[in-house]
Amino acid sequence: MGGEQVDPAALAADWTTAVLGTSYVSMNRRDLRRYLTGLATRLAASFAAPDWDRTVAAGVGRLMVAAHFTDTRSLERTLVVVGEHLAPSAPNRSGRLAALQGALAAGYAEALRERTLAEQERITIAAFAARVSAEEARWASEARYQAVFAGAVIGISVSELDGRIIQINDALCTMLGFTAEELSGRVIYEFMHPDDAPDDWAQIRDMIAGTRDHVRMEKAYFRKDGTELWTDLVVSLIRDQADEPRYLVAMVEDITDRRLLQTRLRHQAMHDPLTGLPNRSLFFDRLEAALDDENAVPGVCYLDLDGFKAVNDTLGHDVGDQLLRTVAERLSAELAPDGHLVARMGGDEFVVLVADATDPDEVRRIAERALATVRRPVRVEGNEIRVSASIGIVGRDDGGSGAAELMKAADTTLYWAKNDGRSRVAEFDRDRHRTDVARFELSAQLPEALRLEEFYLDYQPLVRLADGVTTGVEALVRWRRDGERLGPDLFIPLAEETGLIVALGGWVLTEACRQARRWHDALGGERPLMSVNVAARQVREPDFVDAVEAALDSTGWPASSLQLELTESDVMSADGGPLETLGTLADLGIRIAIDDFGTGYSNLAYLRTLPVHTLKLAGPFVTGYGPGGREGRGGEAGTAAVLSSVIGLAHTLGLTVTAENVETAEQHARLRSLGCDTGQGWFLAPPGTPDAVAGLLGRPLPGHRRSPFPGDVTRRPATG
Ligand code: C2E
Ligand code: MG
Ligand code: MG
């Protein structure tokens, strides 16, 4: 073959220099030289062998790639260096060298292609694996989400921040009665409800603005069919990865049933079971709310049926209940449509809360409508029942501060309506109320006054007109209260109302008899007649006779010198027990006088049958003027004629006659000429203290016979 021997070491050295730095794997020169020495030795042996094998050169090309000499310069420089070292050894085998270089390059290229594919595949598989695993996670969470969302019993919806619904589950669709198609794309604001609190939507806006993440409320919706759905609603804000608000998720629980139950319970607590009307607690709630509202001017009509007790007592409670139900229905039908609250306060009391009472006339009209409604006859179980009602009206400022005070004023006003004759409307009157309050205070002080002996008696002479002799006195009670003197007209009616009259009357009776006894013990002579006023209430007391007898016994005053004065109406209406009492008293020898005779409507024929001894003719008979100051028919002559016949009739019935309020000499003269037995009045003698009266007892009044100008003289006492 000839030529020089190939030096693999020299080849490796040059090869190293040629390719150093063309690999992306950093291999130091020594390691590279060692690696390339191995390759150079193989190449040299193969090139020198008689039967040449191209696979060795191709293998060397592959190993170049395996050692990461994948840069295009690596192959090019390798082929140059190998050619330079192999060519001198075989000058006539240039074909073999070219083949060797070709095989090396081919092996290199093949290795490089394989390697590139492998790398791509690795990336693809890795990428795919990554994608698959990510999808797996997504699928898993999606499944969980679907299970929660679609299968949930609570309603769930997802909406954009602008309120557009993007997803809604079956449960919520069922609750609302819509299909998912009907709902998606709609806006949550379409589901506003009149019962939404203003705050609710403000909170949703806060969520959209991102200042709030969670809201919980009770909210009502209208279902597709218009019925109401009540829910416990929780809305959560979902943020994106940048923490920006992204979605609103609403979770909705149907609480309609619970709410209905609550409503029913609340209704029961706030309504009257008999009539179904709002009860007093609901009424008070509404009234308080109206009073709290500075701009509102509420008014109240407080209504009480007249004579309802009689219906209950005579027709039974079932009929009474039915009557109440009918009245409730009618009142409600008449007034509720105008926005007035009609409530039952209890018993036979109803109340109308008038929202706007700015116009008092309007409130009065409402009250009159209520009255008219109640007056319509009611048919119950074959009975036609006619009832009326009394109504007290009050307005916002009539009671003071609160609802309770207002209703107290309403109660007072209702009482006025009753007292003024029932079946009518009374309006609150500040002055009248003040008087009532004063009266109330006064009546509250009565028991203490009795205990502290603040009462005392004045006495007014009863003068026998025939000779002017004081034959008796009338005891008149007074109250010395905080240094002022109160007349009986101010406190006797209160004492009658409260029942204190029984104790007070007992004291008067005893004190009067004791005084009479003192006078008689001191003066001797004929016993004066002690005339004592007695209230109907006292006579109704079962032990009244005992009380009178005890007074007589304890003071040693004889029954025959005691006269009890009862008003005309009290005597005329006396029946049963009280009438018996009067009879018993009369049997004891006590005289019974009818006080203020002529102010009522006595049936004289009936008078005959009563145990009465004296008529005390009231002022109008004596003065000739009727109540209200109207002069009677026939003037002076007419008055005289009436007086004459009354006196004559009384005498015919065996009654003596005492004229009250004799104020003038002229009246005195006329009464005397008409045969009136006794006179009492300022002209004769005013009421006075025991000492002042003592000097008059049993004697003719000084100078009264000598009155010079009949009709001109009016002696009025300094004190009444
Ligand atoms: P009464 O029984 O008719 O008493 C007469 C009243 O007429 C007394 O008024 C007396 O002061 C007054 N009076 C006397 N003279 C004249 C006169 O010339 N002109 C006029 N206009 N009035 C005259 P008083 O003391 O204010 O008593 C008022 C009423 O109070 C009495 O009317 C009597 O119904 C009642 N009352 C007085 N004391 C008692 C009592 O102890 N018990 C009871 N239950 N009622 C009494
Ligand atoms: Mg009297
Ligand atoms: Mg009188």
Side-chain angles (χ1 to χ4, degrees), residues 457 460 474-478 487-489 492 496 501 508 532-535 538 565 567 595-596 616 660-663 680-683 685 687 720:
L457 299 177
Q460 186 173 31
E474 178 177 2
L476 297 164
V477 67
R478 281 92 180 76
D489 287 338
I492 288 293
E496 292 192 49
I501 192 67
V508 168
V532 178
N533 294 286
V534 165
Q538 288 173 267
E565 299 187 12
T567 65
D595 203 352
D596 302 333
K616 293 189 76 177
E660 295 183 325
N661 293 9
V662 182
E663 295 179 346
Q680 178 184 2
W682 296 330
F683 174 74

Side-chain angles (χ1 to χ4, degrees), residues 453-620:
E453 296 179 4
E454 291 180 358
F455 295 103
Y456 67 97
L457 299 177
D458 275 344
Y459 299 90
Q460 186 173 31
L462 300 168
V463 178
R464 187 162 62 209
L465 293 179
D467 57 8
V469 171
T470 296
T471 55
V473 293
E474 178 177 2
L476 297 164
V477 67
R478 281 92 180 76
W479 179 2
R480 199 183 291 107
R481 176 178 171 266
D482 300 334
E484 63 171 347
R485 170 193 169 283
L486 299 184
D489 287 338
L490 288 176
F491 61 85
I492 288 293
L494 302 180
E496 292 192 49
E497 276 171 28
T498 59
L500 191 83
I501 192 67
V502 176
L504 177 59
W507 177 84
V508 168
L509 192 63
T510 309
E511 178 57 25
C513 292
R514 187 178 294 128
Q515 184 54 54
R517 173 71 196 264
R518 271 189 220 123
W519 278 325
H520 184 65
D521 286 354
L523 304 168
E526 255 194 70
R527 284 194 176 83
L529 178 69
M530 176 51 75
S531 195
V532 178
N533 294 286
V534 165
R537 177 82 189 251
Q538 288 173 267
V539 181
R540 282 206 302 271
E541 287 294 305
D543 61 353
F544 182 60
V545 175
D546 295 346
V548 174
E549 285 191 296
L552 293 172
D553 286 353
S554 69
T555 57
W557 193 247
S560 57
S561 293
L562 176 66
Q563 174 170 274
L564 299 179
E565 299 187 12
L566 283 100
T567 65
E568 185 179 357
S569 58
D570 288 348
V571 173
M572 287 314 218
S573 65
D575 56 0
L579 192 58
E580 232 170 75
T581 299
L582 293 182
T584 310
L585 293 167
D587 291 346
L588 290 172
I590 295 168
R591 298 182 64 87
I592 307 293
I594 296 186
D595 203 352
D596 302 333
F597 183 84
T599 51
Y601 301 90
S602 293
N603 177 339
L604 285 171
Y606 178 60
L607 252 187
R608 265 177 78 181
T609 68
L610 296 174
V612 171
H613 307 92
T614 302
L615 295 188
K616 293 189 76 177
L617 299 186

